[in-house]
Amino acid sequence: MEMNDTARLKLLLAFMTMFIAVCYPIVKPYLETYMDNFGEDKIIKSNLSSFSIESEIIKAWNKLLKKPERKKFKIAIGMNTNVDLIISGTELFKNLKLNEPNGIKNHEIIGNLKQFKECFMHFFHKGSAAERFFTNSLDFEKVLELVKNLKQQWFIGGNAALMAQGISKRFSDAEILLIGPVGPKLKELLSQNIQVMDDTLVAKDEVHLILEYEAKETIESIQTPQANRFIVSYDIKNSRMELIDQFFNITSIQKPDITIVSGLHLLETQNSSYRSETLKKLTNLLKNRDHKMVHLELGSISEKSLMKNILESGLLSEVNSLGLNEQELLFLAYSSETAPHSNYYMEMNGSLELIKIIDILEWILTAYGSKEHSNSRFSRIHFHYLKFHIIAELDIGVWSNSISSLISGSKVAAKQACGFDFDDLSNEVALEDFVEMKIPYEYDENKNIFLRMDQEKSFKFNASEPVIKIHRGKIKFYFTPTLVCKKPLKTVGLGDAISSNGIIYSEFNSI
């Protein structure tokens, strides 16, 4: 017998009534919990979670970034050049079987394989970058022999060569002079538009071993908090700065618009008298220069006596700009013994405190800068740290386009680490998913963002205006948080890219 429409409707209503009667007592608690949570507070949190601070920073950086007015320029870069052999640090120490007990200890110079492992572990457990040197070739050759069985990659190495290569890719209008020992492998790897003079070519490459690791990798129960690298080498030509005369002969003829000097940290392997003589020679050659602008990239120094030699040599007074990272800045303050927070290098555990960093930068510019010393040319510092970057300048009318200088360094670090081209804007929507701001932050009840920069202080932050300006007396500070690549493809050379981009985007007006 067929059912009419009325009968069907009655049957459907009866079924629905029975279903509700049976199922409602079961789902009622879940419905109530859901409805209780679906209030105004939940809506605000939902809106905040859809907000991407990384996306806002990238957009703001692009709006603020302005290329320098100069159209073409000549830049000379020296003096440390080599090839980098990159391997996994964790894989190396799995294969480097040592009978000695495991230890964690810093060594300024590596005298044997036991010290090699201890020193690596010292920086690995903190996730800090460092560079050290072997005192004999035999142990270093043993390590190079061992890594032949590991996955390896060959790259351009040395601060000078890395900066030259990076500039050749990012600034097509630059005329680049690379002045340092260039062996066959390095010559093969360099871009063709980098000029290498015949009297700087050498028969054998200097090899630097780069031990990279990612965040949370583990060696013998010790886990590293963040990705970084540890560099070791046995390097003669660079450590003795043997091409210093060629460098100044070439620059005196070529007269570059910008000169970048690097490689002082390699002097650590030399005795005190050789260091002093070399620093004295470099300072005098810079004093008598007619270069328009000189930037010094400091490099990782671990020996207090060398850093004191640099500070006492008068070298800083002969350069216009200085680039350095957190380890180098804190060690400089520690070595000086008169800087504020001079023991911070020994005491620092965890994230840097912004105010202490600004105090130290202010002290360096005040102690060595051109405002206080009539014969000094020094007036700018570019500081780069994993979580933020700062440019500090004496307010004497020498530097301009400083915001773009700061942003260009921060942006190139994020993009290069993730494998993105600096000038390709088409990849920046994708970039925000690959990077993160590492400075802890929180929202107040008005949805304002506060960065937790110091132990007891937070700073209000607008992601749409990510460059914060601070004025202290005659010194201007420009601060921006960085965007850190979550899974970096390559960490070597980021500091060089940051500083070289920053100095090229700066406008320098000699007075």
Side-chain angles (χ1 to χ4, degrees), residues 198-441:
D198 288 343
D199 56 351
T200 65
L201 295 174
V202 295
K204 183 180 178 182
D205 288 281
E206 297 285 6
V207 178
H208 289 206
L209 189 61
I210 315 297
L211 282 63
E212 290 195 334
Y213 49 86
E214 293 188 6
K216 298 184 179 180
E217 283 198 71
T218 302
I219 299 178
E220 297 166 0
S221 77
I222 296 173
Q223 185 180 85
T224 185
Q226 61 194 28
N228 226 314
R229 79 283 185 278
F230 183 82
I231 306 174
V232 286
S233 63
Y234 178 77
D235 186 334
I236 299 299
K237 289 183 173 60
N238 288 306
S239 65
R240 294 181 62 84
M241 299 187 77
E242 290 186 353
L243 272 69
I244 190 170
D245 290 320
Q246 288 95 320
F247 182 86
F248 283 93
N249 288 338
I250 292 168
T251 54
S252 65
I253 295 169
Q254 295 290 333
K255 295 182 171 32
D257 301 294
I258 301 169
T259 301
I260 299 179
V261 177
S262 63
L264 292 185
H265 59 292
L266 297 169
L267 285 170
E268 280 190 333
T269 59
Q270 306 305 309
N271 61 48
S272 59
S273 61
Y274 187 87
R275 294 175 188 170
S276 298
E277 287 302 313
T278 303
L279 288 171
K280 182 180 178 181
K281 182 177 183 178
L282 177 60
T283 301
N284 288 333
L285 288 168
L286 286 170
K287 190 188 296 287
N288 298 321
R289 79 184 196 264
D290 56 0
H291 303 162
K292 296 178 181 177
M293 189 264 284
V294 176
H295 172 84
L296 172 64
E297 192 67 16
L298 191 57
S300 177
I301 295 172
S302 63
E303 193 170 333
K304 193 173 181 179
S305 60
L306 174 58
M307 186 67 84
K308 284 182 72 71
N309 286 344
I310 292 171
L311 294 176
E312 293 169 357
S313 67
L315 179 63
L316 286 183
S317 296
E318 303 306 328
V319 302
N320 306 100
S321 173
L322 174 68
L324 73 180
N325 66 20
E326 75 280 7
Q327 186 274 337
E328 296 149 13
L329 178 76
L330 298 186
F331 193 72
L332 184 154
Y334 172 69
S335 301
S336 74
E337 299 177 354
T338 58
H341 319 296
S342 58
N343 285 326
Y344 194 31
Y345 175 79
M346 304 298 290
E347 299 166 352
M348 195 272 289
N349 184 20
S351 297
L352 295 183
E353 296 179 55
L354 176 62
I355 297 303
K356 289 183 178 179
I357 297 303
I358 289 176
D359 289 344
I360 297 170
L361 293 171
E362 180 183 28
W363 174 82
I364 297 172
L365 281 173
T366 301
Y368 301 97
S370 55
K371 192 66 179 176
E372 300 298 325
H373 307 281
S374 58
N375 295 325
S376 176
R377 297 175 165 112
F378 180 47
S379 58
R380 176 186 183 271
I381 303 174
H382 193 165
F383 169 76
H384 40 92
Y385 167 54
L386 180 73
K387 297 182 180 181
F388 60 85
H389 293 170
I390 297 173
I391 286 179
E393 299 169 351
L394 287 173
D395 193 3
I396 55 175
V398 171
W399 302 96
S400 57
N401 206 36
S402 301
I403 290 176
S404 293
S405 172
L406 179 68
I407 290 170
S408 70
S410 300
K411 186 177 173 184
V412 76
K415 299 192 79 170
Q416 183 170 306
C418 289
F420 291 80
D421 290 335
F422 176 73
D423 287 320
D424 186 359
L425 298 181
S426 67
N427 59 34
E428 301 207 346
V429 175
L431 177 65
E432 67 187 66
D433 295 324
F434 288 83
V435 296
E436 59 184 335
M437 189 177 76
K438 298 286 283 187
I439 299 174
Y441 63 94

Side-chain angles (χ1 to χ4, degrees), residues 4 49 92 96 122 134 143 170 189 193 253-254 267 280 285 295 313 315 332 336 468 480 506:
N4 58 29
S49 66
L92 172 63
L96 186 64
H122 172 79
F134 275 84
V143 176
R170 297 189 296 273
L189 294 170
N193 59 335
I253 295 169
Q254 295 290 333
L267 285 170
K280 182 180 178 181
L285 288 168
H295 172 84
S313 67
L315 179 63
L332 184 154
S336 74
I468 298 173
T480 191
S506 292

